[in-house]
Amino acid sequence: MKRVNRILAHPRFQIYKEEIKKWEEERPYCGHDVSHLLDVARIACILSLEEECEVSKEFIYTAALLHDIGRPEQYAHGTPHQQASVKIAAGILKDCGYDEEENAAVLSAVGNHRDAARASQTPLDWLIYRADKLSRGCYVCEVEEICDWAAAKKNQVLTY
């Protein structure tokens, strides 16, 4: 988990984390702060254990921490955040000591976390995709009625 801690301390991670915070200050919907990222990681770890996926905790946390890092690019320029996240995450992963094979696995999960068909390609992709959805508390959300998510995407039941 040393490399995960390097990600958390990485200057670009810190910059993007702060940019997301600024962009979402007035936003009434779910946020993409570190709490969300850690919720995704924890839920994915639980799913992995329950389903005996044998995906390492380090890879789960790595993908979860980086899956929304491109949000500022989406807010500022309309770039799909999963695409922007892949580009940003690639540099952070390299700086934090991940090799090419590890990068490919993590970047796949980051890039596929919004697409169910593509996310089912690898266990890590599928874990991050599902954990991202399960992390949302739509079942107790105060702005659920005005949320632009399709009803089918909303987490309407408490699963854990």
Side-chain angles (χ1 to χ4, degrees), residues 87-124:
K87 289 179 183 175
I88 297 162
I92 293 172
L93 290 168
K94 184 178 179 186
D95 291 348
C96 293
Y98 292 79
D99 66 30
E100 286 183 32
E101 188 177 322
E102 293 169 327
N103 282 4
V106 170
L107 295 177
S108 176
V110 169
N112 292 330
H113 82 272
R114 296 186 68 207
D115 184 338
R118 291 179 61 203
S120 62
Q121 294 176 15
T122 74
L124 179 60

Side-chain angles (χ1 to χ4, degrees), residues 16 19 23 70-81 84:
Y16 279 97
E19 283 188 33
W23 277 102
R71 283 265 169 197
E73 297 297 321
Q74 181 173 331
Y75 296 142
H77 308 293
T79 307
H81 77 269

Side-chain angles (χ1 to χ4, degrees), residues 2-39:
K2 287 180 182 177
R3 295 185 296 180
V4 171
N5 286 322
R6 286 186 207 138
I7 291 169
L8 287 166
H10 194 281
R12 265 183 277 149
F13 181 85
Q14 291 296 318
I15 288 168
Y16 279 97
K17 178 182 66 103
E18 289 304 313
E19 283 188 33
I20 291 168
K21 184 178 179 180
K22 287 177 189 170
W23 277 102
E24 294 184 347
E25 233 170 31
E26 303 294 321
R27 190 174 181 265
Y29 309 109
C30 296
H32 301 89
D33 59 7
V34 173
S35 291
H36 166 65
L37 305 178
L38 293 173
D39 286 346

Side-chain angles (χ1 to χ4, degrees), residues 41-99:
R42 291 178 187 121
I43 292 168
C45 282
I46 292 167
L47 293 171
S48 179
L49 289 170
E50 288 179 347
E51 298 169 9
E52 300 177 2
C53 291
E54 297 183 18
V55 176
S56 79
K57 182 170 74 169
E58 181 184 32
F59 277 23
I60 290 170
Y61 270 80
T62 298
L65 286 173
L66 296 171
H67 83 279
D68 280 337
I69 199 77
R71 283 265 169 197
E73 297 297 321
Q74 181 173 331
Y75 296 142
H77 308 293
T79 307
H81 77 269
Q82 68 277 14
Q83 292 173 10
S85 294
V86 166
K87 289 179 183 175
I88 297 162
I92 293 172
L93 290 168
K94 184 178 179 186
D95 291 348
C96 293
Y98 292 79
D99 66 30

